[in-house]
Structure formats: structure tokens, C-alpha cells
Amino acid sequence: MKLFKNNKTAPLLASPYIAWALIFILVPLAMVIYYGVTNASGSFTFDNIAMITEPGYLKALGRSVLLAFISTLVCFILAYPLGMILSSMKLARNTYLVTLFILPMWMNFLLRTLTWMTLLEGKGVINTVLEFMHLPPIHIINTSGAIVLGMVYNFLPFMILPIYNSLSRIDDNIINAARDLGADSLQTFLRITLPLSVPGIISGITMVFIPALTTFAISTMLGGSKILLIGNIIEQQFTQVYDWHLGSGLSIVLMIFILINMIIERLADTEGGVLG
Amino acid sequence: MKKIIERLYLILILIFMYAPIVTLIVLSFNSSKSRARWGGFTLKWYTRLFSDTAVASALFNTLSIAILATIFSTIIGTITCIAMVGLSPKLRSLIMGVTNIPMINADIVTGISLMLLFRFLHIGSGFATILLAHITFNIPFVMLSVMPRIKSMNFYVYEAALDLGATPVVAFVKTILPDLVPGIVSGALMAFTMSLDDFIITYFTKGSGFETLSTLIYNEVKRGIQPEIYALSAIIFIVVLALLLIIYRAPNTKTKEK
């Protein structure tokens, strides 16, 4: 590998990005941590982080974790069979089909959420249709259910894509070999297909769980600003209350949750690797 | 029987994904402002949308930020990936580790952290801050798609070109760059769509009075949905559909020719 004859060329080429990452990734993150562990007079404190134990905030965090968990689970349950069906189809046709399933991803995120506002409203499209069919109206707008629906609708493609990718990479010969050796479909699935698709499942879970955990737009639009998630609380600290210290402290809590999530996934990944 | 169930499942998920979008498109032609009643066919929301200067300037901002952020992040990301070859493994893994931060971290924290930085540096919010933020979160996507190509690269051809008398630049452009192009293109596409779709980071770094499409829609929604937004959704959907069909057609025809 002698791309660079001079020893200084590579560091020189990398230096703009190193400077960029320092200024726009590391320094800002350090600022969040600095604000999180200081108070308005600049002295060190853990009060901002400890504020998460306030009942209102704790409730918002608990609700965020719960709703993100349910949404991730629903996305997984919907996406896995879909990934299996898509990966078992003939190649020429399924590029179009897969595109069809991830196409809503390219629609603006807020427009996708807005769609469900229109559908679920008290006098929205769904209730009008229900009324027309003489069925009782549903009232799920401004409930946690509507937020979960919005999360699933928005983030489903993020689950479909990695699962489909990992399933379609499985060599048919391995499956055939398992069949030849006498495994039935369930055994083949549990011992071959599922373990081999673990990397896809894990990246799908990350891509759904973290945005769902930290969203504030979906809960504002579909929860009618009555149901607050931890994202809403943090957003308010920066755009309405202007308490940057508290907002940063709560952001640190959020980052701790993201870290825990990553560690759990890493562990699951190595276990999957052992199984596979 | 299995085939039928599979088909049915695909169709049900497609209905779940597309019925809402179709509803929006239908409503964009509804002359009644109410979403519960069909008041007859109209194009007035489209004409209103096109005469709306706020939407036009938000669209202009969104597109220009996305294009500029894509260009800058693609150049910086690609150069950094190439430089990685000549760096020590330690420095390399350090750079990749830092690059992963914006991808793993929640957008809301990234947005807030950049907002704190811009306030601290007294950089006036608006076009420049959003552009800087977008370049920052786009570079990792570019590096992620260029890096695998670099790793699997064969440098012997490059060395052969040098031995045969090519200057390093010519040798690079003729032997290495062509191999990187697919990675660069998919990285750039990724960066462009991420930039177009971003709401959260833009929201925290935009300051007041400057809107992109996402922030404009968010403000509108808080005030109550106007049917013009449906017209906007319909147009965006059709444009996205058309672009994807073009993109997916292109490589398919190529492989057929082979």
C-alpha cells in the first residue's frame, strides 16, 4: 500500500476533516456535557441530570422508552415476514418491490406524520368513512396509540431495509443443506435463517428505536401536545424555557440510554454470532 | 395457499403504507376545506401553493442547502477516506469512532449541541448554520459508503501506472478514482436525501425567520393544516416516485446490455 510516497501527505489530506470533526462533533458534544453538569453561575453540579427523577420528567422518559419499545416491536413483527417474502422472490422483480416498500422513506418526514393527523382526527377521513358505514367512530388522535402508529408508519422502512438485506444475503445452499440433513422448516428457520439475519435485525432495531425514543415532532403532531415524551421536554428547555443547563442535563440522560441500548445490541450481536 | 397468504401480506403492508399518501393526494383536489366532505374537484390549492412566496423560498432554501451540503460533504468525506489509507491504524480507528458519533447519537442531541456551538461562537443562525450542520451529519454517510470501496481496493494497478511513468495524480485519477465512483455516488445520494428529509437538526440550528420545507410544514401544522400542504405533499410524492423510477431503471438496463 504505497498510495502516499511522502509520509505527510495522508495526514495533510485528513486534516480538514479532523479539524471539522473536532469543531462540529466533539466540541459541541463537550458543550452539552459542560452545560449539563454546571448551573447558571457556572459551578459544577449534578442537579440537572438528577432532575430526571422529577415525577413529570421521569414519567415522560418512561413513556418514551415504552412507546419506542412497542413501536420497535411492531415494526419488527411487520418487517420480518415481509423481508422473508421479499428475499424469497425472484431477483428481477423484487428490486422494484423493495423500492416500493422503502419509497415512503423519501417523502418528507413531517408530511408522513401529517398524513396520520388528517386520517385520525375527530372528524378526519377514517371517522368519516366509519360513519358512512354506520360504524362507531374511533378516538385515537392525541393518545399514545396514535403516537405509536405514527412511529411505526414513519420508521417501518428503516426496519424493512436492513432485515431484507441480511436475509437476501443468506446463501440458498446453506438452507438446502439444512433441509438435506433432515431439518424441518421450523428448525431451518430457528437455527439457520434467524441467526444469520441477526445483524440486520440489530441494525433495524437501532434505526427504529433511537429516533422513536428521541422524537418530539411525532408526539407534538399526533399526541396533541398533551402527551409529552422526553424529546418534547428537552425541546421545550431550548425553545421555550431557555434553560440550557437543564436541557443539556436531560440530553445526557438520553445519551446514557442510547449507550445502554448500544451495549445490549453489541452483546446480542456476539451471541448471535456464536449461534450462527 | 402459501403464495396467496404471502401476496395478501405484501398487499396489506402496501395498503398501510400507501393508503395515507393516496388520501392526501385525493384531498389536494378537494375544493371543500373540510377533510370530512368532498366538495368537488379543484386545482385551487395548487395555484395557491404556486403563488405562495413562503413555500417557494422554503423550497429554494431546502434545495440549495441540500445541494451545497452534498457537494461539500462528498468532497471532504472522499478525501478523508483516501487519506485513511496512509494513516496509522490507531488514528484511523479514532477518526472512524468520532465519525460514528453523529450517526449513533440522537438527532435532537446533535441539533442541540450544534445550536450551543453556534450561539457560543455568535454565528448568526440561518442559511450558514444549517449548511454547516448538514455538512457535519452528511460526511459520515459519505464516508460509510466510500470506505468499503477503499478497503477492498487493489493498489498494485496504481503502482504499475507509476512505474510506467504516470504522475501520481494521473495514476490516481485513472486507476483508483474509477473504482471509488459507485461509492461516492451512493454516498452523495444518501447525503442529499438525508439533507432533504432532515427536520430535527435544522429546527435547532435555523434561528428565527429562516425556514426550510420541513420547518415550514411544522409551523403550519401547529397552526392548523391548510389544503395547500396536501398539494405540496402530492407534488413531492410524484417527484420522488419519478426520480426513483429513473434511478432504478438506469442500472437495470445496463446489466441487461451486458
Side-chain angles (χ1 to χ4, degrees), chain A:
Chain A
M1 296 240 259
K2 274 189 200 155
L3 185 57
F4 304 107
K5 280 197 172 155
N6 189 326
N7 281 338
K8 283 178 187 145
T9 318
L12 193 73
L13 281 178
S15 58
Y17 176 63
I18 293 175
W20 189 285
L22 205 67
I23 300 171
F24 293 108
I25 299 176
L26 291 178
V27 170
L29 209 58
M31 287 182 76
V32 172
I33 294 168
Y34 170 78
Y35 272 102
V37 296
T38 53
N39 57 24
S41 55
S43 49
F44 181 82
T45 175
F46 275 122
D47 289 354
N48 300 314
I49 298 173
M51 277 294 276
I52 193 66
T53 54
E54 282 282 299
Y57 297 161
L58 202 60
K59 206 174 161 195
L61 180 67
R63 185 184 288 131
S64 302
V65 173
L66 181 70
L67 296 190
F69 179 77
I70 296 172
S71 308
T72 311
L73 192 69
V74 173
C75 281
F76 172 72
I77 293 169
L78 290 177
Y80 202 90
L82 188 71
M84 287 187 71
I85 297 169
L86 286 176
S87 64
S88 70
M89 289 177 122
K90 293 244 163 56
L91 211 86
R93 222 172 7 147
N94 70 3
T95 5
Y96 281 101
L97 260 178
V98 173
T99 313
L100 211 54
F101 281 99
I102 55 173
L103 185 124
M105 221 161 83
W106 276 276
M107 258 289 273
N108 188 290
F109 158 70
L110 290 162
L111 291 178
R112 277 179 281 160
T113 314
L114 170 127
T115 314
W116 283 98
M117 278 177 85
T118 307
L119 289 171
L120 297 176
E121 275 173 324
K123 282 185 178 161
V125 175
I126 290 181
N127 277 343
T128 309
V129 173
L130 287 175
E131 196 187 345
F132 183 75
M133 299 193 299
H134 299 287
L135 290 168
I138 50 164
H139 300 284
I140 78 158
I141 187 82
N142 301 345
T143 65
S144 297
I147 297 177
V148 169
L149 191 59
M151 287 173 175
V152 171
Y153 186 70
N154 268 301
F155 304 135
L156 186 60
F158 296 126
M159 184 71 90
I160 295 175
L161 201 57
I163 288 183
Y164 164 75
N165 278 337
S166 69
L167 284 173
S168 62
R169 252 183 247 134
I170 297 176
D171 191 345
D172 280 345
N173 290 329
I174 303 176
I175 309 233
N176 292 338
R179 289 302 187 87
D180 288 347
L181 292 166
D184 59 34
S185 349
L186 185 66
Q187 279 174 318
T188 318
F189 173 75
L190 287 178
R191 304 186 67 162
I192 309 286
T193 315
L194 193 61
L196 284 177
S197 61
V198 164
I201 297 174
I202 285 174
S203 72
I205 289 176
T206 313
M207 284 171 82
V208 175
F209 185 75
I210 293 183
L213 178 73
T214 58
T215 187
F216 63 90
I218 295 178
S219 43
T220 306
M221 291 166 80
L222 295 171
S225 58
K226 277 177 216 123
I227 300 171
L228 295 180
L229 299 183
I230 190 69
N232 296 89
I233 308 260
I234 294 175
E235 185 244 349
Q236 284 172 1
Q237 297 308 320
F238 284 93
T239 59
Q240 290 166 28
V241 189
Y242 298 106
D243 188 343
W244 293 359
H245 297 278
L246 179 56
S248 300
L250 297 177
S251 301
I252 293 174
V253 176
L254 206 56
M255 283 194 277
I256 293 171
F257 266 80
I258 293 169
L259 270 177
I260 295 172
N261 175 55
M262 268 177 57
I263 292 167
I264 295 173
E265 280 165 4
R266 280 279 155 83
L267 290 177
D269 199 8
T270 46
E271 266 170 35
V274 171
L275 274 175

Side-chain angles (χ1 to χ4, degrees), chain B residues 215-233:
Chain B
T215 61
L216 181 91
I217 296 164
Y218 191 65
N219 294 342
E220 292 273 313
V221 163
K222 278 186 153 177
R223 263 184 271 146
I225 310 166
Q226 295 296 311
E228 286 106 280
I229 294 291
Y230 298 141
L232 182 67
S233 316

Side-chain angles (χ1 to χ4, degrees), chain B residues 28 77 80 111 136 144 159 178 184 187 193 201 225 232 257:
Chain B
S28 75
T80 312
T136 305
L144 199 76
E159 282 176 22
I184 296 173
T193 49
I201 295 171
I225 310 166
L232 182 67
E257 278 164 16

Side-chain angles (χ1 to χ4, degrees), chain B residues 123-141:
Chain B
I123 301 177
S125 302
F127 190 90
T129 48
I130 301 177
L131 181 60
L132 288 171
H134 280 218
I135 295 172
T136 305
F137 74 71
N138 276 338
I139 292 174
F141 287 105

Side-chain angles (χ1 to χ4, degrees), chain B residues 44-76:
Chain B
K44 71 179 170 195
W45 308 120
Y46 286 86
T47 48
R48 272 200 208 171
L49 179 73
F50 291 128
S51 57
D52 192 333
T53 51
V55 172
S57 80
L59 183 67
F60 175 78
N61 292 338
T62 306
L63 286 176
S64 46
I65 286 170
I67 291 170
L68 288 174
T70 304
I71 293 172
F72 282 115
S73 59
T74 307
I75 293 172
I76 299 173

Side-chain angles (χ1 to χ4, degrees), chain B residues 76-138:
Chain B
I76 299 173
T78 308
I79 289 176
T80 312
C81 283
I82 295 165
M84 293 286 241
V85 178
L87 296 180
S88 67
K90 233 184 198 170
L91 190 57
R92 224 184 301 168
S93 60
L94 189 69
I95 291 177
M96 281 326 275
V98 174
T99 303
N100 273 329
I101 294 176
M103 306 201 66
I104 297 163
N105 210 343
D107 281 356
I108 187 172
V109 182
T110 307
I112 285 165
S113 71
L114 285 165
M115 183 190 107
L116 290 176
L117 176 81
F118 295 141
R119 293 282 170 89
F120 178 73
L121 295 175
H122 296 288
I123 301 177
S125 302
F127 190 90
T129 48
I130 301 177
L131 181 60
L132 288 171
H134 280 218
I135 295 172
T136 305
F137 74 71
N138 276 338

